[in-house]
Amino acid sequence: MKCPKCQFENPEGMKFCVDCGNKLEVICPKCGFGNAPSHKFCGECGHNLTLPAPEPIHKDLSFDEKIDKIQRYLPKGLTEKILSQRDRIEGERKQVTVMFCDMEGFTSLSEKIGPEEAYDIVDQVYELLIHKVHDYEGTVNEMTGDGIMALFGAPIALEEAPQRALWAAHAIHREIAEFDQHQKDFGPIRMRIGIHSGPVVVGTLGNDLRVEFKAVGDTVNLASRMEHLAEPGTTYVTRDIFKQARGMFEFENLGKKVIKGKGESISVYKVLPDRKGVHRPRLGSERMIFSDMVGRSS
């Protein structure tokens, strides 16, 4: 059975993942009960576990709906400002910080309050995430499942891009916790956040500011892997982020983890709660991405 936490393929009969120690169980799609991997029927409600998983019970946004939602919260004039310089942005090699943020707990939420109300909650969560990213001058590149992919350093070049991503992550966790407190009718909502910084080449920049990358290394993929590893309510980052931000943030070293698609284990760090009295970014210091290339190496 493949471990849902670390994606390791375990031998038959294992009750716990031999790679990360996570409990291996098959969650019943009907009642949410955790069954042993060998079970064919749910021990709680009798549902046939060999049947294909049902379609998601909440409505997926269309591409146009996602773009409309992202564009709705962009600071006024930002789209025009960036697109006016498109020819000087595309094709640049750039150090970019990538954040993946995904909501944990939608299934239990929809079981308690129903799919329509649950969809409304997710819609509010999307808005919160987009606002917090923009507060630290990041841009939302796309909406992914029950979360977002955000960029810090493209298409707008920023000072302290990794730090801004971490401040945004702290803000997201705080806002989600506060939002959760005002929603007493269902179980907790938590975000899993993964962040990595590395080189990319900016390819096509669409009219919606969605950036298509020409791969240089695996910056985007590794940020996604950090999010998959993260426990609900936490932010996991790579050593690259740790090295650039350790003077402003506190981290717990989780050791090296096996990452799918990587030949060597990767050092992973958990970001600890926000430190008080640390430097905050001077907002409004963004520059177009081409201006950051002069006299600097990526």
Side-chain angles (χ1 to χ4, degrees), residues 97-116:
T97 298
V98 182
M99 169 198 285
F100 279 89
C101 185
D102 193 68
M103 186 178 83
E104 186 78 13
F106 179 82
T107 300
S108 60
L109 171 65
S110 59
E111 289 172 352
K112 291 183 179 181
I113 65 176
E116 292 302 321

Side-chain angles (χ1 to χ4, degrees), residues 241-260:
I241 296 292
F242 165 74
K243 287 166 62 177
Q244 296 181 71
R246 57 188 170 185
M248 298 183 183
F249 298 85
E250 293 181 347
F251 300 86
E252 177 185 347
N253 188 344
L254 301 179
K256 293 196 171 184
K257 304 288 184 181
V258 176
I259 305 295
K260 185 177 180 181

Side-chain angles (χ1 to χ4, degrees), residues 145-296:
D146 298 324
I148 59 170
M149 171 187 170
L151 308 174
F152 294 81
I156 299 173
L158 297 170
E159 294 289 350
E160 303 177 325
Q163 292 88 337
R164 288 170 184 261
L166 291 172
W167 279 311
H170 278 316
I172 286 170
H173 287 309
R174 286 195 303 269
E175 292 292 323
I176 288 293
E178 183 175 336
F179 176 79
D180 200 35
Q181 286 296 313
H182 290 85
Q183 307 292 333
K184 300 293 185 180
D185 296 333
F186 51 81
I189 292 177
R190 298 288 184 267
M191 304 308 297
R192 294 183 296 128
I193 299 179
I195 304 174
H196 175 55
S197 185
V200 298
V201 172
V202 179
T204 303
L205 177 63
N207 290 337
D208 49 38
L209 301 191
R210 188 172 184 274
V211 179
E212 295 291 346
F213 292 117
K214 299 174 183 177
V216 178
D218 54 358
T219 300
V220 174
N221 183 53
L222 199 47
S224 177
R225 295 298 178 193
M226 292 299 103
E227 181 264 307
H228 287 306
L229 284 176
E231 297 288 342
T234 67
T235 300
Y236 281 16
V237 304
T238 59
R239 183 168 177 79
D240 299 81
I241 296 292
F242 165 74
K243 287 166 62 177
Q244 296 181 71
R246 57 188 170 185
M248 298 183 183
F249 298 85
E250 293 181 347
F251 300 86
E252 177 185 347
N253 188 344
L254 301 179
K256 293 196 171 184
K257 304 288 184 181
V258 176
I259 305 295
K260 185 177 180 181
K262 298 291 292 183
E264 298 181 353
S265 299
I266 299 294
S267 295
V268 177
Y269 297 81
K270 180 169 73 173
V271 186
L272 298 180
D274 197 8
R275 291 170 56 181
K276 304 299 182 183
V278 298
H279 169 70
R280 289 291 185 272
R282 180 174 60 85
L283 300 183
S285 60
E286 78 276 0
R287 292 165 293 165
M288 299 314 299
I289 195 168
F290 60 86
S291 69
D292 200 45
M293 301 298 296
V294 180
R296 295 194 179 191

Side-chain angles (χ1 to χ4, degrees), residues 110-142:
S110 59
E111 289 172 352
K112 291 183 179 181
I113 65 176
E116 292 302 321
E117 287 188 65
Y119 179 75
D120 289 338
I121 295 296
V122 172
D123 199 49
Q124 294 178 60
V125 170
Y126 274 136
E127 293 183 14
L128 187 153
L129 299 178
I130 293 170
H131 275 304
K132 291 299 107 181
V133 168
H134 289 162
D135 282 350
Y136 292 91
E137 298 178 333
T139 56
V140 176
N141 191 48
E142 63 181 75

